[in-house]
Amino acid sequence: MTTRKIGNDLPGSSFTRGHNDFRKDKAVRRLMYHHTGDKAALLSFIELGAGSEAFRESDGTFVARVENGFDTAGNPIFTGGELVHPEDTTLRLQTTKVTKVGRDRWTATLSYFRIITDPYGPGPTVGSVLKLRCDFEAHRVYTDGLEGGTYDGFNDFALPGGNIISEGCLPEPPAGGGEGGGAFYGDDGDGGDPPEEEQTTKKTNPNSFSRTILLPVVRIQVPFAYYNNPFTYAGNVGGLNKNAVDFGDNLSVAAGMCRFDGVQMDEMGSYTTSNGQYGRFFGVYQFTLSPTQFYEQVPVYCGGKWTIQLTQDINPNGTWINFEALGLT
């Protein structure tokens, strides 16, 4: 089998410049080849850059292309430099079409354009490294309010007239309260007085003693682009960080404050160049930060009275130690 280029930039070749938006840049090159093999062999010849259809560039330096095995669909995998347009090396070769036009004669149409996504990390076309959004969430609370402008009071002063419990249910109180009643009623140690009638009857609507407050939350997305699927274990979804973690250089989060909310991901049909990143799996890892460590107040009738149960809106078995444990590197 022999292959050589016999025509360069034939009629139909073009270059389009987006003057106010570089994402609109695109180019088409039409070439002619003498080729005695089949179309798959010609495509591999072009994609390898053997015929110098385009410059071979990686990170601003010229690097040879190398064929390195095949993917699961039988397509060859090339490593090394990226094929780029000879007149604008920021334009990557995205598609190649070959057409047989005679005996051992083929035309090839090479299309160059930008694919704008948000891969993790820098590239010739700058992508997002971090997306962050701050907003408010509504929470129903059964408290007397926040003390001193902090969130310490979020877990204190339960209404109606009762106490906060972290887990479980209090036992039934002794008849008439009596000595030691504070151990049952949890009334902040003011003598163990029995609860008010409205606290002991099941007819009480605890929501009538509640109010809705707005608490700030921070939602973070970390984009990525990988050869292989990074998200292979879903057991950490909803879990909190066991250790402190850093998002970039300027945002550090203490242990137990960051919840992993999952992954939003697209799988391409084949390996794709996007914003200077070469991969098949593109998407974002999603996290949420909350000053309450994701605790919610839930009214529970137990031990003969209404109490407020603190429940954490997380996956208790999903604790993760670092980003690498989630597949994000």
Side-chain angles (χ1 to χ4, degrees):
M1 183 185 71
T2 60
T3 304
R4 69 178 186 276
K5 184 168 63 174
I6 58 177
N8 194 38
D9 288 324
L10 303 178
S13 299
S14 64
F15 193 105
T16 302
R17 177 71 73 192
H19 295 289
N20 298 314
D21 187 350
F22 71 96
R23 294 175 299 176
K24 304 298 184 182
D25 294 351
K26 58 184 178 180
V28 176
R29 301 186 68 208
R30 298 190 69 243
L31 312 174
M32 180 168 285
Y33 290 89
H34 170 81
H35 175 67
T36 59
D38 58 17
K39 56 183 177 294
L42 179 57
L43 283 171
S44 295
F45 179 85
I46 296 173
E47 292 172 6
L48 188 59
S52 297
E53 283 74 25
F55 289 94
R56 292 160 288 185
E57 182 189 53
S58 175
D59 299 329
T61 60
F62 293 94
V63 179
R65 297 265 290 175
V66 179
E67 186 173 334
N68 188 17
F70 298 86
D71 63 16
T72 55
N75 301 311
I77 299 175
F78 298 97
T79 59
E82 295 288 343
L83 292 177
V84 297
H85 195 277
E87 298 173 25
D88 185 346
T89 57
T90 67
L91 273 178
R92 261 55 178 175
L93 176 64
Q94 303 291 355
T95 66
T96 303
K97 176 183 177 181
V98 294
T99 305
K100 192 169 186 178
V101 294
R103 182 178 179 181
D104 300 336
R105 292 291 188 275
W106 299 75
T107 60
T109 302
L110 283 61
S111 298
Y112 305 79
F113 52 89
R114 309 187 195 281
I115 300 177
I116 304 301
T117 61
D118 294 311
Y120 182 69
T125 302
V126 178
S128 298
V129 177
L130 185 72
K131 292 184 175 182
L132 184 148
R133 187 183 73 189
C134 300
D135 56 16
F136 285 90
E137 278 187 346
H139 292 260
R140 185 173 293 276
V141 295
Y142 303 80
T143 67
D144 289 332
L146 306 178
E147 290 187 326
T150 69
Y151 296 98
D152 298 335
F154 184 80
N155 299 335
D156 297 329
F157 311 114
L159 296 177
N163 65 301
I164 288 282
I165 57 176
S166 59
E167 60 182 10
C169 182
L170 299 178
E172 192 74 20
E179 186 177 353
F184 294 98
Y185 301 130
D187 56 359
D188 298 327
D190 61 355
D193 295 331
E196 301 173 3
E197 180 180 357
E198 61 189 5
Q199 187 187 359
T200 59
T201 176
K202 289 186 177 180
K203 294 181 180 179
T204 296
N205 178 11
N207 285 342
S208 64
F209 295 89
S210 70
R211 62 195 180 95
T212 300
I213 64 173
L214 295 177
L215 294 176
V217 294
V218 179
R219 308 186 194 280
I220 296 175
Q221 291 184 334
V222 180
F224 66 86
Y226 290 126
Y227 285 94
N228 301 310
N229 181 6
F231 185 64
T232 57
Y233 177 66
N236 294 121
V237 175
L240 298 182
N241 58 315
K242 183 178 181 180
N243 303 323
V245 293
D246 296 324
F247 290 93
D249 298 328
N250 301 313
L251 179 59
S252 297
V253 181
M257 300 293 292
C258 180
R259 186 182 64 194
F260 173 46
D261 293 336
V263 173
Q264 182 177 340
M265 180 175 66
D266 292 325
E267 178 183 359
M268 305 301 177
S270 60
Y271 295 103
T272 304
T273 298
S274 177
N275 286 356
Q277 301 294 314
Y278 188 63
R280 184 171 181 176
F281 298 88
F282 297 83
V284 292
Y285 274 71
Q286 302 178 113
F287 302 88
T288 300
L289 314 181
S290 171
T292 68
Q293 293 184 293
F294 306 97
Y295 278 102
E296 297 286 345
Q297 296 182 1
V298 180
V300 178
Y301 188 83
C302 65
K305 67 171 187 176
W306 285 102
T307 57
I308 305 302
Q309 178 90 43
L310 281 182
T311 60
Q312 211 171 13
D313 189 17
I314 63 167
N315 172 11
N317 299 318
T319 302
W320 45 281
I321 58 175
N322 52 36
F323 292 130
E324 287 76 11
L326 305 177
L328 183 62
T329 57

